[in-house]
Amino acid sequence: MAEPKIRFKEFEGLSCWENKRIEEICEILTGFPFEGQTIVNIGRNLLMRGINITEGVIRHSEEIDRYFDGDTSSLTKYRLKINDLVIGMDGSKVGKNSALVTKKEENALLVQRVVRLRTKNATLSYLILVSVGSDKFFSYVDGMKTSSAIPHISLTDIKNFTINIPQQREEQNALANYFRLLDNLIQSSEKKIASLRQVKAASLVSMFPQAGETKPRVRFKGFQENWKTVPFDIVFRYLKNNTLSRADLNETLGSARNIHYGDILIKFGTLLDIRKDDLPYITNHFLANQLTNNCKLQKGDIIFADAAEDSTVGKCTEIAFIGEEKVVAGLHTIPCRTLFEFSEGYLGFYLNSPSYHNQLLSLMQGTKISSISKSALLNTSISFPSNIAEQRQIASFFRSLDTQIFLETQRLDKLKQIKSACLDKMFV
């Protein structure tokens, strides 16, 4: 068997790798078909179900975990051991949900539609986990899985998948240790991002007054006075928007750019910076000039998305930098301009916080598509500290959090790219 494209230097020129089917190197078992009435929410015998298994991690919660309430004397072979590899055999992400059993799942009972792979040592188990987490395995599953409402793969499909492994135990260890390091870095980065997002979510509640409050629960040192709360139209006046669809826009060329509501909901953050964010161009040059003459946006303007498929309707973005570009507000947006000065970024973070967004929930209309109207926004109120310095510190705090999240997300993406490239080049 040929060598991989990249190999640790100390193993170059040594014995080649072996190509084996999974069934040749693993003890394989599918789960037991437990009857519904024997499955309970609380018990001693944890069940390993497909819903517990995600990409590289076995998850647990009160909502997910289930237990077997019955006699287990005949179920010994279904007990899991540490470093067993479990793979979900059905669902929309079939083939991608696989993970190693840890101390927490030791002795859990294997449920049907989950397959367990058991090897002679932890190193081999990890190499198999790495292999089934590769594009090669995903492509294999895509070609084998059923096209029914719930896609699934068979035990035979898993048994017949071929894995290339080095013959020498030392090289197996080196390879496993390298990918363990990458996985640990990826997991560390994911945890850091989750922690930063939790801090931001909590801060968006604690640093803005909630209903009935005159000041936030958490403030920066030196600020004590009550905040102001005024009707929406005391702070904003409405601007004009257009109704251009995606078909009227392009990504490469034009004299004016357009803010589409879908980009506010999905792509843009709280603050819009045209140097970093990609805004589509208006294809029709004449129409672009006409629109910018009537409703050109400027720094500090707020643009709400007035429609969404869920309660995210009302999400907004604040223009932080626009330069000399001509930008207009597009389909399903409500653009607004302040009537007096605010510190850059304050309104963007406040208007996307629960303190303000919760006011919109009772004002939304529609079933399949939720919407919010200009008249509905007039029934909301805006809270803010009179001291611009306090506004500035609040905005600076949240901008710093967003920057940390952005940089850590970039690092995570880079680590995943490195792992993907290594999987391609370090396995035959």
Side-chain angles (χ1 to χ4, degrees):
M1 184 68 194
E3 292 186 9
K5 298 175 184 176
I6 296 178
R7 198 173 183 183
F8 291 112
K9 190 173 183 179
E10 61 267 33
F11 303 110
E12 290 178 356
L14 298 182
S15 56
C16 295
W17 287 29
E18 298 177 300
N19 186 289
K20 292 187 175 183
R21 296 192 308 276
I22 280 183
E23 67 175 348
E24 294 181 278
I25 51 178
C26 295
E27 177 191 326
I28 304 177
L29 179 70
T30 54
F32 183 80
F34 293 92
E35 295 182 3
Q37 66 269 24
T38 65
I39 298 175
V40 295
N41 293 340
I42 300 175
R44 289 181 299 174
N45 297 293
L46 177 67
L47 296 176
M48 179 58 65
R49 304 188 300 155
I51 195 172
N52 289 103
I53 307 167
T54 61
E55 296 178 59
V57 177
I58 297 174
R59 58 182 180 171
H60 298 281
S61 71
E62 291 183 2
E63 292 75 22
I64 293 174
D65 286 343
R66 294 295 181 269
Y67 300 82
F68 175 62
D69 183 23
D71 180 18
T72 63
S73 59
S74 63
L75 300 174
T76 303
K77 73 174 184 177
Y78 297 103
R79 293 284 188 187
L80 293 172
K81 296 181 180 180
I82 295 175
N83 289 319
D84 281 348
L85 174 60
V86 287
I87 303 174
M89 298 174 69
D90 52 25
S92 60
K93 299 184 76 174
V94 60
K96 293 189 176 182
N97 292 335
S98 60
L100 291 177
V101 171
T102 67
K103 180 67 177 176
K104 190 168 186 176
E105 298 86 33
E106 187 178 17
N107 288 320
L109 292 167
L110 193 69
V111 176
Q112 65 179 344
R113 304 307 306 157
V114 177
V115 65
R116 182 219 70 198
L117 309 182
R118 181 173 293 166
T119 66
K120 295 179 180 179
N121 60 75
T123 295
L124 195 52
S125 293
Y126 201 86
L127 290 179
I128 296 172
L129 173 66
V130 170
S131 294
V132 299
S134 67
D135 290 338
K136 177 184 175 182
F137 184 69
F138 300 157
S139 297
Y140 173 79
V141 170
D142 282 341
M144 294 294 179
K145 70 182 180 183
T146 64
S147 57
S148 60
I150 303 179
H152 65 270
I153 53 174
S154 69
L155 179 60
T156 301
D157 294 333
I158 295 175
K159 285 181 176 181
N160 288 334
F161 179 68
T162 58
I163 291 178
N164 302 298
I165 55 174
Q167 295 181 32
Q168 291 193 343
R169 181 68 178 272
E170 293 79 6
E171 187 171 7
Q172 292 180 15
N173 289 333
L175 203 59
N177 289 337
Y178 178 76
F179 279 98
R180 277 197 189 97
L181 174 62
L182 276 178
D183 283 341
N184 288 338
L185 290 172
I186 288 171
Q187 289 174 15
S188 176
S189 183
E190 288 174 336
K191 288 178 181 178
K192 186 173 181 180
I193 291 169
S195 177
L196 287 168
R197 286 176 173 163
Q198 287 177 353
V199 170
K200 181 180 178 182
S203 300
L204 283 170
V205 173
S206 63
M207 295 181 68
F208 296 105
Q210 302 306 300
E213 298 178 345
T214 57
K215 53 188 176 183
R217 302 164 198 171
V218 175
R219 300 180 80 172
F220 290 101
K221 187 176 180 179
F223 303 106
Q224 297 179 342
E225 66 273 14
N226 290 341
W227 284 27
K228 289 184 176 180
T229 298
V230 300
F232 185 91
D233 58 354
I234 297 297
V235 175
F236 292 110
R237 68 179 177 90
Y238 289 129
L239 305 173
K240 294 181 180 180
N241 72 307
N242 63 67
T243 58
L244 298 178
S245 68
R246 289 285 190 193
D248 300 309
L249 310 175
N250 74 88
E251 301 295 328
T252 55
L253 186 64
S255 59
R257 300 191 185 223
N258 192 73
I259 297 177
H260 191 275
Y261 80 104
D263 292 334
I264 297 175
L265 294 172
I266 297 172
K267 187 163 69 171
F268 299 152
T270 299
L271 303 178
L272 181 63
D273 186 336
I274 203 166
R275 295 168 297 187
K276 303 175 183 177
D277 298 304
D278 293 326
L279 276 71
Y281 293 93
I282 298 172
T283 302
N284 187 309
H285 179 71
F286 174 77
L287 181 59
N289 288 336
Q290 187 179 46
L291 289 173
T292 53
N293 287 335
N294 295 329
C295 47
K296 181 182 176 182
L297 297 175
Q298 64 185 36
K299 179 180 177 180
D301 286 346
I302 301 289
I303 303 93
F304 291 90
D306 72 6
E309 294 181 354
D310 52 30
S311 60
T312 57
V313 61
K315 182 187 175 187
C316 69
T317 190
E318 175 182 338
I319 296 180
F321 183 86
I322 205 168
E324 299 300 319
E325 293 274 3
K326 297 177 181 178
V327 180
V328 293
L331 181 69
H332 286 307
T333 66
I334 301 177
C336 308
R337 184 164 294 163
T338 58
L339 297 172
F340 50 91
E341 181 184 3
F342 283 85
S343 179
E344 179 184 304
Y346 171 79
L347 283 172
F349 290 110
Y350 167 71
L351 294 170
N352 283 313
S353 75
S355 176
Y356 181 76
H357 192 76
N358 286 347
Q359 297 182 59
L360 302 180
L361 298 179
S362 63
L363 303 174
M364 296 176 185
Q365 298 179 327
T367 52
K368 292 184 178 180
I369 301 295
S370 299
S371 64
I372 197 81
S373 65
K374 290 182 178 180
S375 58
L377 290 180
L378 295 177
N379 292 319
T380 65
S381 58
I382 307 296
S383 296
F384 57 93
S386 300
N387 193 324
I388 293 291
E390 185 172 9
Q391 295 180 21
R392 186 180 302 113
Q393 287 200 34
I394 292 170
S396 177
F397 172 78
F398 283 107
R399 290 183 84 156
S400 176
L401 277 178
D402 279 351
T403 298
Q404 292 178 67
I405 292 170
F406 174 75
L407 293 175
E408 194 61 37
T409 301
Q410 279 192 320
R411 179 173 180 269
L412 176 61
D413 290 341
K414 185 66 175 178
L415 286 168
K416 288 182 176 180
Q417 290 172 9
I418 291 171
K419 181 180 178 181
S420 178
C422 289
L423 282 169
D424 180 54
K425 296 183 183 298
M426 295 180 74
F427 280 85
V428 180

